[in-house]
């Protein structure tokens, strides 16, 4: 049985970026504006806070999947000294019982970016659950890193 119901999944992905760590990290200064850059985040709204740690945004992940409902993401860490940014689903939903994403930026003249997700799927069907895990591994982790790179290149470099 592939990953039984209720099992925790941990995935990680690292890429070297063609910009400095400071330029890449500059994307994390505005939580709400950064959420607007992420592929699939539709109708982003600030629900709580002022964009600092503890703030919550809501969004639909994909306009074609409105049946999954609006999701809420909470900023739980944004540490300039370690260049670590971490968010979590504010509440369990149809997709995840728990979900946490961490991005860590290292380096000086070129950024080495590591993204990791830790989640417990709420998807009951084993085949659909496997598909969601594969989507994270094959697409989502790398896409998030590149969404942020594209944003800083547009805003800071270009």
């Amino acid at each position: 049985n592939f990953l039984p119901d209720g099992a925790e999944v941990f995935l990680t992905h690292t890429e070297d970026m063609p910009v400095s760590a400071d330029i890449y990290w500059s994307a994390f200064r505005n939580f709400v504006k950064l959420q607007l850059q992420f592929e699939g985040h539709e109708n982003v709204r600030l629900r709580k806070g002022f964009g600092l740690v503890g703030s919550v945004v809501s969004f639909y992940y994909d306009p074609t999947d409105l049946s999954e409902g609006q999701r809420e993401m909470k900023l739980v860490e944004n540490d300039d000294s370690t260049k670590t940014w971490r968010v979590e689903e504010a509440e369990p939903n149809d997709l995840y019982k728990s979900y946490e994403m961490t991005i860590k930026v290292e380096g000086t003249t070129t950024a080495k970016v590591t993204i990791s997700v830790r989640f417990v799927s709420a998807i009951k069907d084993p085949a659909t659950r496997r598909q969601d895990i594969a989507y994270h591994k094959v697409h989502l982790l790398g896409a998030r890193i590149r969404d942020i790179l594209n944003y800083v290149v547009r805003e800071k470099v270009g």
Side-chain angles (χ1 to χ4, degrees):
N1 186 14
F2 175 80
L3 198 65
D5 185 29
E8 185 176 72
V9 175
F10 181 75
L11 302 170
T12 188
H13 178 78
T14 301
E15 288 188 28
D16 292 324
M17 295 289 106
V19 296
S20 73
D22 286 341
I23 287 175
Y24 194 89
W25 179 249
S26 70
F28 297 93
R29 291 193 188 4
N30 187 320
F31 178 53
V32 178
K33 196 168 183 183
L34 181 60
Q35 294 297 310
L36 293 168
Q37 311 309 312
F38 289 156
E39 173 188 319
H41 284 204
E42 303 290 336
N43 198 22
V44 175
R45 301 207 187 288
L46 182 63
R47 294 286 184 207
K48 177 183 173 189
F50 301 99
L52 306 173
V53 170
S55 294
V56 175
V57 295
S58 66
F59 58 91
Y60 289 98
Y61 184 68
D62 182 337
T64 62
D65 289 331
L66 294 179
S67 63
E68 294 169 356
Q70 210 164 16
R71 297 172 62 188
E72 290 191 345
M73 196 68 69
K74 179 180 182 180
L75 180 62
V76 293
E77 182 178 4
N78 192 4
D79 188 334
D80 286 330
S81 67
T82 63
K83 291 185 174 73
T84 303
W85 183 84
R86 186 167 46 98
V87 293
E88 64 186 18
E89 291 276 358
E91 296 178 6
N93 56 51
D94 290 349
L95 295 176
Y96 305 105
K97 294 177 182 176
S98 65
Y99 188 96
E100 176 182 277
M101 176 183 286
T102 304
I103 300 175
K104 173 98 173 120
V105 181
E106 299 173 297
T108 52
T109 56
T110 58
K112 178 180 177 181
V113 181
T114 300
I115 184 171
S116 60
V117 291
R118 179 182 311 272
F119 63 87
V120 176
S121 180
I123 300 170
K124 295 295 181 196
D125 177 60
T128 306
R129 188 168 53 243
R130 181 186 304 221
Q131 213 172 23
D132 184 56
I133 294 166
Y135 169 76
H136 273 80
K137 184 75 175 158
V138 174
H139 175 73
L140 183 70
L141 299 182
R144 284 291 170 260
I145 288 175
R146 289 182 293 282
D147 287 344
I148 297 165
L149 175 64
N150 291 336
Y151 169 53
V152 297
V153 167
R154 273 193 320 272
E155 295 290 315
K156 311 292 182 194
V157 179

